[in-house]
Amino acid sequence: MSQTLLEQSLGQLACDIPGATRIFHTFKLDFCCGGHKSLREAALAKDLDPLLIADALHILQDAGETQHDWRNEPSEALIAHLLTRYHARHREQLPELIRLARRVEHVHGARSSCPNGLADHLTDMQQELEGHMLKEEQVLFPMLQQGIGPQAAPPIQVLRFEHDQHGEALEKMLALTNHITPPADACNTWRALYRGLLEFRDDLMQHIHLENNVLFVNALNPHH
């Protein structure tokens, strides 16, 4: 049975199986920007055993947990969710994360484990994300709300490309922070920063996943 999961895309599995994204995070599989890859292909690219991951997904399927399936919802409902749950949230998260990162770098900059350069990197991410979210809010979302999804192919292509850049920026954030793992003797500020970074990473990946694998797909295939 797990065999059949191997040929499905990460994006589809993330939509189909509640909790799948937790497993993908554990194995560091990119289900948002790399969501078009099959489970087999994505696992082998990371030297992981695809069957091991498929078995874990299978157990989840049997557990019968539920999650909101956005694929059959009107795009207006998904857009409203994206705006309140992710766009507004990133605008709250980033200024605070940048502030904490500056403090940690200022106090602990001499330590080899200190994420030097993180505050500047997060500032770059904030600017990129802000420009990106404005394009969605001012161009793409109004097009989809007017029901002209198929004509939205050119902006969608641009936004997918920018999502890939956000994915690369997340990779760099992970590299700077030892995969968001604080040293054993990290102070409370450092721990608070990394807790916030984990939440930001999970939110951003889920945000991109819902856009790439649900909103954009539905817009371009209105009668699926």
Side-chain angles (χ1 to χ4, degrees):
M1 177 64 205
S2 297
Q3 284 287 348
T4 55
L5 296 180
L6 294 177
E7 306 315 325
Q8 291 180 34
S9 71
L10 296 184
Q12 189 185 344
L13 292 166
C15 288
D16 282 345
I17 303 175
T21 56
R22 289 197 299 272
I23 289 177
F24 295 151
H25 280 310
T26 306
F27 289 103
K28 302 188 175 66
L29 294 176
D30 173 8
F31 59 88
C32 58
C33 301
H36 51 283
K37 289 188 179 157
S38 73
L39 173 57
R40 182 197 303 278
E41 187 189 356
L44 291 174
K46 292 226 161 187
D47 293 327
L48 298 165
D49 177 1
L51 272 171
L52 181 75
I53 301 167
D55 287 344
L57 291 171
H58 201 68
I59 291 164
L60 269 185
Q61 262 183 328
D62 291 345
E65 199 185 320
T66 56
Q67 75 182 356
H68 195 97
D69 192 335
W70 288 102
R71 286 174 296 186
N72 303 319
E73 293 260 356
S75 59
E76 292 78 13
L78 177 51
I79 287 169
H81 175 67
L82 289 167
L83 289 173
T84 54
R85 175 62 186 82
Y86 298 106
H87 285 216
R89 186 84 187 92
H90 296 329
R91 288 179 174 124
E92 282 169 17
Q93 286 167 319
L94 282 158
E96 178 63 7
L97 291 172
I98 292 165
R99 192 181 67 78
L100 290 171
R102 290 229 183 277
R103 274 181 58 192
V104 169
E105 289 180 60
H106 181 68
V107 177
H108 304 288
R111 294 180 53 175
S112 62
S113 53
C114 182
N116 286 312
L118 178 62
D120 286 346
H121 180 59
L122 290 172
T123 305
D124 290 345
M125 284 190 80
Q126 181 184 36
Q127 287 173 332
E128 293 294 325
L129 258 175
E130 187 55 39
H132 174 83
M133 293 191 298
L134 284 176
K135 279 183 206 147
E136 293 180 340
E137 290 159 12
Q138 294 171 359
V139 180
L140 180 67
F141 292 174
M143 287 179 85
L144 299 185
Q145 283 158 332
Q146 291 159 21
I148 49 174
Q151 289 165 36
I156 283 176
Q157 198 175 355
V158 171
L159 295 167
R160 274 191 189 276
F161 173 73
E162 290 182 1
H163 283 167
D164 290 347
Q165 293 179 310
H166 302 329
E168 287 164 25
L170 278 178
E171 285 297 316
K172 184 176 171 185
M173 184 181 96
L174 294 175
L176 283 169
T177 57
N178 185 27
H179 279 281
I180 319 182
T181 312
D185 58 349
C187 67
N188 288 337
T189 306
W190 201 330
R191 291 187 184 282
L193 168 64
Y194 280 24
R195 270 198 305 277
L197 289 179
L198 277 173
E199 193 179 278
F200 171 61
R201 182 210 55 178
D202 289 359
D203 282 351
L204 184 56
M205 287 185 76
Q206 188 66 21
H207 175 189
I208 293 172
H209 159 64
L210 286 173
E211 291 183 349
N212 276 1
N213 302 323
V214 184
L215 187 69
F216 296 173
V217 171
N218 284 358
L220 299 174
N221 312 296
H223 305 298
H224 61 130

